[in-house]
Every structure is written in C-alpha cells, then in structure tokens.
C-alpha cells in the first residue's frame, strides 16, 4: 500500500442538498452568553448587555463540541472502484478541487494494467476556513481489467476487513491510544460503465457482496456519452436491478433516523446512481470561470445540475452526509465485524478450555 501526504487548499461553494441534521451548527446568541463565558474565550466584556436570567446555557455544549472538533480535525477515507478509463482519478480531483488522486500525485509514465488488483492509498491534509481534514483516497487499479474477473472483489473485501481488524486491535489494547487512527473505509464509490443498457454480472456481484461491509455509492461514469433519455432509462434500469438483487446502497433505508432524514434520503435514493462528469480543467463561459469539458458543440459544466449530477454527489459525500457516512461505518459495518470477531475468539477459547458449544451459546444469550 502506497501512502503520500499532500496539503491542499479548497474553495468554498454553497450546497445543493439541505443540511443534514448531524452536520448542523448552533450559535448561542451574544445576549444570552454570560460575561464569564464571554471573557473565557476572549470576547468583548463590559458594556450594557441584556441578561436573560432564565437562560441556563445547555445549548452551549454544541459550541464546545465545535471548538474541540476544530482542534482535532477530521478524517475521511474514500475508496474508488471501477475499470480503467472510467475517470476515477479525474472525479476525485474534481470533488476536492485539488490533485488528490493517485495518478495526479505520482505522475508516473503510462502504467501497465496490473496482473492482479492492487490497493493503493494516498493521504492528504486539506484545510478550508480553518477546518482541517485528513483525506485518504484508496484506489484499486486492476479491478475488472482482466479476461477472467472471477473473485476480483476478494482483495478489496480483504483490504476493508483488514482496516476493521487494525482498528479492533487498537481498541482492545490495554493501554490504547487516546485517539485511535481511523483507516476504516467510510465510503466506496463504484463506477458503472455508461453502456446505457443494464448492469454487468460483475457490477451486481461486487455491489451485492461489498454492500454488506461498506457504504457503496454507485455512479454512472462519463455520463456525457449518454443522451438525457438514455441516461434516465439507464438510471431506472439500475435501480430496478439493485432492488431485484437485494443490494442496499447508501443511504440505506433501514438507517433513516427520523421523518426528516427519511424525506431527504428518499430524494437521494430516487437519484441514485448519480450520472457524473469529471473535469479538472477550467474554462471561461459567459464571463465565468468554471470546471467543464469543452466539445465542438459547447462546454459541459461539471457543477451545473442541468448538465450532470456531480453537484448532488459532492453534496452527499461532503456537505450534507459526511458525518452520517462515518457514523454508519462505525456503528453498523465495523460493529458487525467486531461482534463476529469477538464471537470467533470466544469460541476458540471455549474449545481450548473444553467448554461445549451449546454451553457457550446459552451464555451468550
């Protein structure tokens, strides 16, 4: 596994989706903050201030959590999976408006198709408006590029489980770290070739197996090769095949927390898979500089929702659901792995001590 660290600066832009509940911030009105608390954080003290004697200040915990999170920074690990030539590196560069992909950082000569699937990760320290994030992009060159692609998902499945195992071992240490490094894969973006017909058996088998261990977000790569009618038909066909094969992609319906989440997530589920176009080239259009792909008949604007659905994907991954994606990874996918592994260890210990399995099962119940 290759790891590099790069520091980049991002440019802000308004989100398309409504803000997710877990990402919201609360600001305590100045008039309700006591002089002692104001002075503690170096704010202006003195002067006439209206004091509400009924105000306790419980909601200030949100500001305390925000300050702590700003100091610690955040971590996000994204895996990209798909055949060569589908624009995985370009899309990641477009998402973060920086050269964050493996190929962009390494800048090597034309790579040969690897004989087996390789897992390569590159980490970057990103900062925007004082918020620091360690972004890790995990690439899987070689996936789906062979004549025989049987069991080609196994190295990817093993890598994901290895990260869970590493986190588990750190967690069960007697003298464990105050903050355990999180290398768990939070999201897997799966690139579907723009055939316009249906999913391939490889697509179905990969998503069916991997959706049980990681959050999968399917996208139609290079969607500008399809007409609007072909794109809509293809998206509808893919949704039908996902339902027919019992594939639950992110956001999973069973994890909706309340009616508000359900309403927001239903709109997203109706759009999946996102038909995206990636580009890290800027062009001048009507006096505006924007990311796009220039053709003989015009410029395809990457962030224009009338041209493609890149903006919806960006908002899902970064602006509205990032924390939710990490929470589901920790509380659902990792927890299932942890329970399974600890049960296996208990069974091994029980056998070593000569305890019958039915006694162990009764004890667990």
């Amino acid at each position: 596994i290759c790891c590099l660290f790069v520091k980049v600066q991002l440019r802000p832009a308004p989100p398309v989706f409504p803000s997710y509940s877990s990402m919201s911030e609360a600001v305590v009105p100045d008039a309700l903050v006591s002089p002692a608390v104001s002075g503690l954080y170096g704010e202006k003290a003195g002067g006439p201030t209206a004091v509400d004697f009924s105000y306790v200040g419980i909601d200030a915990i949100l500001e305390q959590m925000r300050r702590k999170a700003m100091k610690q920074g955040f971590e996000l690990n994204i895996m990209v999976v798909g055949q060569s030539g589908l624009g995985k590196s370009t899309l990641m560069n477009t998402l973060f408006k920086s050269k964050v992909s493996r190929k962009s950082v390494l800048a090597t000569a034309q790579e040969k198709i690897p004989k087996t699937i390789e897992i390569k990760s590159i980490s970057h320290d990103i900062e925007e408006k004082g918020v620091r994030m360690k972004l890790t992009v995990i690439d899987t060159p070689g996936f789906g590029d062979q004549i025989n692609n049987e069991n080609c998902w196994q190295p990817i499945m093993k890598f994901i489980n290895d990260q869970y195992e590493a986190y588990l071992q750190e967690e069960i240490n007697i003298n464990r770290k105050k903050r355990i490094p999180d290398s768990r894969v939070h999201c897997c973006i799966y690139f579907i070739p723009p055939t316009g017909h249906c999913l391939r058996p490889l697509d179905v088998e990969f998503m069916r197996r991997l959706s049980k261990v990681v959050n999968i977000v399917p996208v139609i790569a290079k969607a500008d090769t399809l007409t609007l009618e072909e794109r809509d038909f293809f998206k509808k066909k893919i949704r039908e095949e996902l339902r027919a094969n019992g594939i639950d992609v992110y956001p999973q319906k069973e994890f909706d927390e309340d009616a508000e989440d359900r309403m927001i997530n239903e709109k997203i589920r109706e759009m999946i898979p996102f038909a995206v176009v990636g580009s890290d080239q800027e062009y001048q259009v009507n006096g505006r500089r924007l990311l796009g792909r220039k053709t003989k008949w015009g410029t395809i604007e990457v962030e224009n929702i009338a041209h493609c659905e890149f903006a919806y994907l960006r908002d899902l991954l970064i602006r509205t659901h990032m924390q939710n994606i990490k929470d589901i990874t920790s509380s659902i996918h990792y927890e299932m792995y942890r329970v399974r592994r600890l049960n296996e260890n208990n069974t091994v210990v029980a056998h070593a001590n000569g305890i019958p399995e039915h006694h162990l099962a009764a004890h667990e119940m």
Side-chain angles (χ1 to χ4, degrees), residues 45-266:
T49 304
V51 178
D52 184 354
F53 290 100
S54 65
Y55 177 69
V56 176
I58 297 172
D59 56 346
I61 186 65
L62 296 175
E63 177 63 16
Q64 297 171 39
M65 293 171 66
R66 189 189 71 85
R67 289 176 184 273
K68 183 177 180 181
M70 290 279 283
K71 289 179 182 178
Q72 290 181 342
F74 301 89
E75 294 172 317
L76 180 65
N77 306 319
I78 297 180
M79 174 179 276
V80 289
V81 179
Q83 284 181 296
S84 300
L86 291 180
K88 300 188 296 295
S89 299
T90 303
L91 184 69
M92 295 310 297
N93 293 342
T94 311
L95 267 175
F96 295 96
K97 292 185 169 62
S98 307
K99 301 292 186 180
V100 299
S101 69
R102 173 182 59 89
K103 288 186 177 180
S104 298
V105 174
L106 297 180
T108 57
Q110 184 66 30
E111 297 181 356
K112 296 181 180 179
I113 296 176
K115 294 181 179 179
T116 57
I117 296 175
E118 302 174 11
I119 310 292
K120 298 185 177 181
S121 64
I122 299 176
S123 296
H124 311 262
D125 290 322
I126 297 177
E127 186 171 338
E128 182 182 49
K129 290 187 175 181
V131 179
R132 293 178 295 106
M133 184 176 74
K134 179 185 175 184
L135 169 70
T136 301
V137 179
I138 303 142
D139 199 358
T140 56
F143 175 83
D145 292 333
Q146 312 303 321
I147 296 176
N148 181 6
N149 291 303
E150 186 178 3
N151 298 329
C152 63
W153 56 80
Q154 288 183 351
I156 299 173
M157 177 85 79
K158 182 179 182 303
F159 177 85
I160 293 172
N161 286 330
D162 285 348
Q163 308 318 303
Y164 289 152
E165 181 67 24
Y167 194 90
L168 176 63
Q169 292 305 318
E170 288 285 352
E171 204 174 45
I172 63 179
N173 278 341
I174 296 175
N175 298 316
R176 62 183 181 183
K177 298 175 182 176
K178 185 177 180 181
R179 189 180 182 195
I180 300 174
D182 191 1
S183 62
R184 298 171 296 182
V185 179
H186 299 128
C187 179
C188 173
I189 305 177
Y190 186 74
F191 288 71
I192 300 170
T195 61
H197 300 294
C198 61
L199 291 175
R200 303 167 302 167
L202 174 62
D203 302 326
V204 173
E205 194 63 23
F206 176 88
M207 288 191 282
R208 186 177 66 82
R209 291 175 180 270
L210 271 291
S211 62
K212 296 179 175 63
V213 298
V214 70
N215 298 311
I216 289 186
V217 177
V219 299
I220 300 173
K222 297 190 173 182
D224 52 328
T225 61
L226 301 172
T227 66
L228 294 179
E229 292 78 13
E230 289 171 341
R231 190 179 78 179
D232 291 341
F233 172 80
F234 194 29
K235 284 163 62 74
K236 182 180 177 182
K237 185 71 174 174
I238 290 173
R239 286 194 294 268
E240 290 174 354
E241 292 191 62
L242 291 176
R243 282 193 295 269
N245 290 279
I247 299 170
D248 205 7
V249 298
Y250 185 85
Q252 299 91 334
K253 189 175 293 186
E254 60 183 304
F255 303 144
D256 292 344
E257 296 180 358
D258 51 39
E260 182 184 0
D261 290 351
R262 194 174 302 111
M263 182 180 66
I264 294 172
N265 291 341
E266 276 300 329

Side-chain angles (χ1 to χ4, degrees), residues 269-313:
R269 284 189 279 264
E270 291 171 3
M271 281 189 252
I272 283 179
F274 298 107
V276 298
V277 176
S279 174
D280 48 15
Q281 299 294 317
E282 286 191 355
Y283 295 97
Q284 191 90 13
V285 178
N286 298 327
R288 297 181 298 119
R289 292 201 65 80
L290 47 82
L291 293 172
R293 288 170 57 85
K294 197 167 186 178
T295 66
K296 290 183 178 180
W297 50 86
T299 302
I300 301 165
E301 301 175 23
V302 168
E303 297 182 282
N304 187 338
I305 58 176
H307 292 191
C308 75
E309 296 170 340
F310 167 82
Y312 294 123
L313 173 66

